[in-house]
Amino acid sequence: MVEWITSRAPVEYRAAEAFMEDRVKRIAAGTANECIWLLEHPPLYTAGTSADTADLRDPDRFPVFQTRRGGQYTYHGPGQRVAYVMLNVGRRGKDLRVFVDQLERWVIATLASFNITGVIRPGRVGVWVERPEKPPRITGEVAEDKIAAVGIRMHKWISFHGISINVEPDLSHFDGIVPCGIAEHGVTSLVDLGLPVAMEDLDVALKAEFEAAFPSPSSMT
């Protein structure tokens, strides 16, 4: 069974890390169930293992946390749903690339329930939306904005960290970093796209789409 936890008050980043590290060890030991933790953080930046300090444009704006998850700089804050995903990937195929693809497709299916078409792009982890109403890129391609980020770490094939989906964050807070090291694209949210979605609505959609994205180990052949 997967336990779902939802925190209503913002959770401090180091406290979240400590919870995940403890839970992952217990899952690996067989003494705790897999877990999805839905939460928000106070405004902060995190640096993944591939972060380039040149991408931290305003280091004094918010607290900056070094973390061992994959990826580069990301922003977390109120109005953004973070889903920390603590699953036994060893029992779910033992393939990191497939697991990241599952995370992205979970987000895409969740967005589709609100009639938003999310896309994934080679070389760009995360989920994007096309913005044809914006000026095209210098290459003539349709502008795209990022709506969800993905960053994962493994311990004994148990995952932690996870995804973040922008519901209604202050998008100006992303200005202090180059999000995920990609400067040529912007950032958007559900509300920015014209959809007044409540956090609770998103949570319902995430839970509804989870099983299709992550079949339980007992149902896998």
Side-chain angles (χ1 to χ4, degrees), residues 85 87 92 99 102-104 106 209-217:
V85 180
L87 297 178
R92 295 170 178 269
F99 183 65
Q102 288 175 311
L103 288 168
E104 292 174 333
W106 181 32
E209 300 297 337
F210 177 80
E211 188 61 37
F214 301 95
S216 63

Side-chain angles (χ1 to χ4, degrees), residues 88-152:
N88 191 331
V89 181
R91 295 178 59 207
R92 295 170 178 269
K94 217 170 192 177
D95 190 319
L96 181 57
R97 290 179 182 270
V98 169
F99 183 65
V100 171
D101 181 70
Q102 288 175 311
L103 288 168
E104 292 174 333
R105 297 196 178 279
W106 181 32
V107 173
I108 288 171
T110 299
L111 295 175
S113 65
F114 301 104
N115 296 315
I116 295 175
T117 301
V119 297
I120 53 178
R121 298 298 189 214
R124 287 194 255 146
V125 177
V127 178
W128 305 76
V129 293
E130 294 186 345
R131 305 298 302 272
E133 73 279 11
K134 288 188 170 184
R137 296 177 58 199
I138 193 170
T139 59
E141 297 173 307
V142 174
E144 294 180 345
D145 288 341
K146 192 169 193 174
I147 194 167
V150 176
I152 287 295

Side-chain angles (χ1 to χ4, degrees), residues 196-216:
V197 175
M199 197 69 73
E200 292 77 11
D201 297 329
L202 181 68
D203 292 348
V204 169
L206 284 167
K207 292 177 182 178
E209 300 297 337
F210 177 80
E211 188 61 37
F214 301 95
S216 63

Side-chain angles (χ1 to χ4, degrees), residues 153-211:
R153 182 169 174 79
M154 292 284 179
H155 171 75
K156 296 183 178 179
W157 284 104
I158 311 298
S159 68
F160 58 120
H161 296 281
I163 64 172
S164 59
I165 301 175
N166 297 330
V167 178
E168 193 179 6
D170 185 336
L171 295 180
S172 71
H173 289 180
F174 287 89
D175 295 344
I177 57 172
V178 177
C180 300
I182 300 172
E184 64 268 28
H185 297 282
V187 180
T188 191
S189 68
L190 292 169
V191 170
D192 183 51
L193 293 171
L195 293 168
V197 175
M199 197 69 73
E200 292 77 11
D201 297 329
L202 181 68
D203 292 348
V204 169
L206 284 167
K207 292 177 182 178
E209 300 297 337
F210 177 80
E211 188 61 37

